[in-house]
Every structure is written in structure tokens, then in C-alpha cells.
Amino acid sequence: MKTEKTLSLSTRAVHAGEPERRPGAPITTPVYHSSMFLTEDLGRYDDIKYIRSSNMPNHTAVARKLADLEGGEAALVTATGMSAITSALLAVLGKGGHLIAQNSLYGGTQALVTHDFPDLGLACTFVDATRPDGWKAALRPETRAIYVESLTNPRLDVADLEGVVRFAREHKLVSLIDNTFATPVNFRPLERGFDLVLHSATKYLNGHSDLVAGVVVGSAQRVEQVRHKLIHLGGSADPHACFLLQRGVKTLTLRVDAQNRNALEIATWLERHPRVARVNYPGLASHPQHDRARTLFAGFGGMVSFELEADAAEAGAFLRRLRLVVHTVSLGGVETLATRPAATSHAGLSAEERKAAGIADGLIRLSVGIESPADVIADLEQALAGVKG
Ligand code: PLP
């Protein structure tokens, strides 16, 4: 179903992309468990109805919903967040292309551009995206794109996102942003001038920790270019995952609004706790880019990280004492999750590299869920009580 732009985001999350209203029509898009459809006319290879071509009814239904929420002309749903990222980057960089990227990317993306790019004849230069001074020096004749994240993991830095768009336009680069942490509820990059928005839909978009998927959103022409690449790379989404994702997105605004509120309450409480040395949350006045976050974002998100006055062993013991909060990787689900980045997402870095990136052994990352914040705080409190000062 097509929805009017005058409708609120929460209304569009429910109705956009759903089946047209006809007597006897289903209310939701059923799962089409069929690898291909009967061919009427061969036409273009990319148009043959086949799951790998990402053009089956479950793909297009959820893609329409996500294009609507991000304010894009078109969207492409993919098998994983990483398949969205790899397909989009390979599509825009072309042969021998060079990328300018934020220096604190999600580990999988960082590994891709650091370790796999050279094998593919591609190159990447990292910059501090919170300030534009070093960006010009990173330009090369073959630079094609600039890549950032709306909030970084686990420090929750906020890049100069408006500056990135200006820089991209000035130097004719494609601007890409991984909007997984902010979600379209808190930030819609296309409205600010970004060219392509990427998501690990595994996280907030789905919100129930029960699938992996990715999304690319942008102009019809750019999304088609990425789909063409995806068809050859083979990262298409399974129709059942599309169905679950479409169902999950219907409650996105409810969940993210609650996560924004809960995370702010928990971050504020943590900041006052004597065993907590530092809290990273863009909604706190103490965050170095708090003013920027206030002007860019409708909410500050559900991710909080905090540093315990503790070494690795003690921080690990803190995690094991948690009873309600789930000690695991990933993020964006309805349940509150906790992890220690030095032992998980950033375990591949040396101790010096982690220190330079501000990732102490005692740093804990929380993905705040939709439980009562009082219950989460009580659990954190009992686990913090065992941390020796
Ligand atoms: N982008 C961000 C910010 C992530 O946190 C992740 C996964 O943790 C990804 C991309 C990759 O997504 P996926 O695991 O769905 O491939």
C-alpha cells in the first residue's frame, strides 16, 4: 500500500508496503515459498523473477516499507547487513576506486576495507569524521565515495554528518551512511543529502533478535546499480526473513521511542554511580558531540557504553553477575544486551590499538531494550555492587 508523506512515521511503519486493500485480499504479505515465478517474457536478466534477483513479493513489500520510512525512492533488502555494505561499496567504487571512511567503523566493515579491499584492487583512507580538517588531504584522483556511520560503536561518536554531505557534493563523491544505530526514527540521512543509506536490519529494524538481513535505500537508479551487483555476489534475502522483517518494522517507532527514553534514564543513572568512570551516550551533556547530536537526531538511541573502574577479569565477572540483562553480542532487540567490546567486537585489535580507539578493558556496551528501566537498573546495580573499587 502507498502511504501519504503527511502521515506520521509510526503510521507509515504499520501501513507502507502492505497489500493493496481489495475485497478478499490478505492483510499482510504471505510468505512466497517459491524460488521462481512462471516466466511471461524473458526481458532483462535482472528482471527474471527469482529469489537471488531480490524481486519476489516478499522482497518488494519490505523494501517499499523501508524506502518509505527512510524517505528514499527505492530500497533493496539483502541477506545480511554485510551483504548490503559489500554490494553498495563495490557498486559505487568501481574498478580501482578509493574510499574515504570514518576511522571507527563496525568491525566487519573495518575488516572489509582494510583486509579485503587491497585484494580487490580497492583502497581506503581513514579519517576522523567528527572534524573535517583532515578530509581534503585524504582525497585522490580515484576517490569515489565517503563512508560514515550515524553513531559509532562502541564510543557513540557523532560525525560531522552535515559536513560529510557538503564535502561529498563539493568533490563529486557518493556519500554512504550506515544508519543501523540511529534508525529512521532518530535520523533520516537521505533528507540531509546522503546518497545511500545502509542498515544491518538484523538489529533495530527487525528488533527481535531472530534474523539477519540488510537494507540499502536511495534513489531508484543507485539502488538498481547495487541490486545488479548483489545479483552476482549472491547476497539475496530469504523470503521468510523478509516476512519477519516486515512484521518487525511495524513496531519500530514504538520500540525505538521506548529505547531512547530507557537508554537516557539508564545512562543518567550510570553516570552517577561511583564504580563507573565514564559513560558514552550522545544524550548526556558530558558527551563531546552532545550539541551536534541534539541538532541532528530526534532521539539519542538505545546504545550506551560505560567504563568500569575494573580490569578485564573484573569486567568479565560483572557481566556474569547480570541476571536480567543478557550477556551477548549484537544489538537492537527488545531485550537489554551487554557485551565487553575488548573481548568481542574489538578483540582483533592489539592492546595499543584499543587504547588509541578509547576501548578500555573495563568498557561495557549496553543495547538497551524495552523492559522497565527500573528493572534493568536494579540488575546493573546488583552486578556493580561486586566491582571492587
Ligand atoms: N553495521 C553495523 C553498525 C553493525 O553493528 C553490524 C553488525 O553488528 C553490521 C553492520 C553487519 O550486519 P550483519 O551482522 O547483519 O551482517
Side-chain angles (χ1 to χ4, degrees):
M1 184 174 156
K2 254 186 120 92
T3 56
E4 298 302 325
K5 287 289 171 232
T6 50
L7 295 172
S8 75
L9 201 72
S10 46
T11 305
R12 289 190 278 126
V14 173
H15 293 289
E18 297 302 328
E20 290 304 329
R21 304 272 170 89
R22 290 185 273 105
I27 300 300
T28 62
T29 308
V31 190
Y32 286 78
H33 275 299
S34 181
S35 334
M36 61 280 194
F37 279 8
L38 289 175
T39 309
E40 287 164 22
D41 177 358
L42 262 185
R44 286 190 328 146
Y45 171 69
D46 288 10
D47 296 333
I48 296 169
K49 292 264 189 268
Y50 186 52
I51 292 180
R52 182 162 52 79
S53 301
S54 302
N55 56 6
M56 300 295 259
N58 295 105
H59 295 126
T60 49
V62 68
R64 273 201 304 271
K65 195 185 277 300
L66 291 166
D68 185 298
L69 296 187
E70 281 286 9
E73 266 176 16
L76 174 69
V77 60
T78 64
T80 61
M82 281 312 296
S83 59
I85 293 166
T86 50
S87 311
L89 282 175
L90 293 180
V92 301
L93 290 176
K95 191 177 171 198
H98 170 251
L99 177 72
I100 297 178
Q102 186 165 16
N103 59 6
S104 46
L105 296 176
Y106 161 65
T109 315
Q110 182 111 10
L112 168 79
V113 299
T114 310
H115 303 303
D116 300 311
F117 265 25
D119 293 345
L120 299 168
L122 302 171
C124 175
T125 303
F126 291 110
V127 294
D128 177 354
T130 62
R131 39 191 301 163
D133 4 337
W135 304 353
K136 227 175 189 158
L139 279 170
R140 297 187 193 172
E142 62 277 17
T143 307
R144 303 267 177 278
I146 182 162
Y147 186 101
V148 291
E149 296 178 354
S150 43
L151 282 158
T152 66
N153 174 31
R155 289 275 308 271
L156 303 158
D157 290 334
V158 185
D160 179 359
L161 300 174
E162 288 169 320
V164 168
V165 168
R166 275 196 302 275
F167 182 79
R169 289 199 172 149
E170 193 182 336
H171 300 285
K172 300 196 169 27
L173 308 179
V174 180
S175 51
L176 299 100
I177 182 166
D178 179 333
N179 200 31
T180 301
F181 275 35
T183 84
V185 179
N186 289 332
F187 185 57
R188 288 182 293 284
L190 298 173
E191 290 176 2
R192 304 294 183 124
F194 275 91
D195 295 311
L196 279 174
V197 175
L198 312 170
H199 279 273
S200 168
T202 312
K203 312 295 185 322
Y204 288 101
L205 293 183
N206 178 55
H208 292 76
S209 313
D210 53 10
L211 60 79
V212 285
V215 181
V216 181
V217 195
S219 69
Q221 182 250 329
R222 283 199 200 284
V223 170
E224 187 54 25
Q225 191 192 1
V226 180
R227 186 172 78 92
H228 186 77
K229 195 60 81 181
L230 185 79
I231 290 173
H232 298 151
L233 294 172
S236 59
D238 169 74
H240 191 251
C242 295
F243 169 84
L244 288 177
L245 175 57
Q246 190 172 344
R247 183 168 71 169
V249 177
K250 289 180 192 173
T251 56
L252 178 71
T253 59
L254 283 177
R255 287 185 280 105
V256 172
D257 285 344
Q259 284 159 322
N260 286 341
R261 280 194 307 275
N262 296 357
L264 182 59
E265 186 172 335
I266 292 166
T268 306
W269 179 82
L270 282 168
E271 203 169 40
R272 288 198 293 261
H273 198 285
R275 294 285 176 267
V276 174
R278 168 199 171 96
V279 180
N280 303 307
Y281 186 65
L284 295 177
S286 57
H287 188 281
Q289 294 101 31
H290 174 62
D291 289 341
R292 179 182 290 163
R294 278 173 49 151
T295 57
L296 289 173
F297 302 149
F300 302 110
M303 301 302 296
V304 178
S305 66
F306 60 99
E307 228 173 280
L308 294 175
E309 305 266 18
D311 61 13
E314 256 205 84
F318 161 81
L319 286 172
R320 286 190 295 278
R321 281 194 294 274
L322 293 168
R323 294 179 197 135
L324 180 72
V325 175
V326 191
H327 173 196
T328 184
V329 294
S330 200
L331 59 117
V334 290
E335 55 287 281
T336 299
L337 312 173
T339 182
R340 192 166 71 82
T344 54
S345 54
H346 294 72
L349 302 186
S350 68
E352 290 71 43
E353 285 170 327
R354 278 201 296 274
K355 195 161 177 232
I359 297 162
D361 282 345
L363 186 75
I364 306 292
R365 189 192 76 181
L366 282 185
S367 166
V368 175
I370 63 166
E371 308 96 329
S372 152
D375 292 337
V376 175
I377 286 173
D379 192 28
L380 293 171
E381 179 143 51
Q382 66 77 23
L384 279 168
V387 178
K388 294 184 207 80

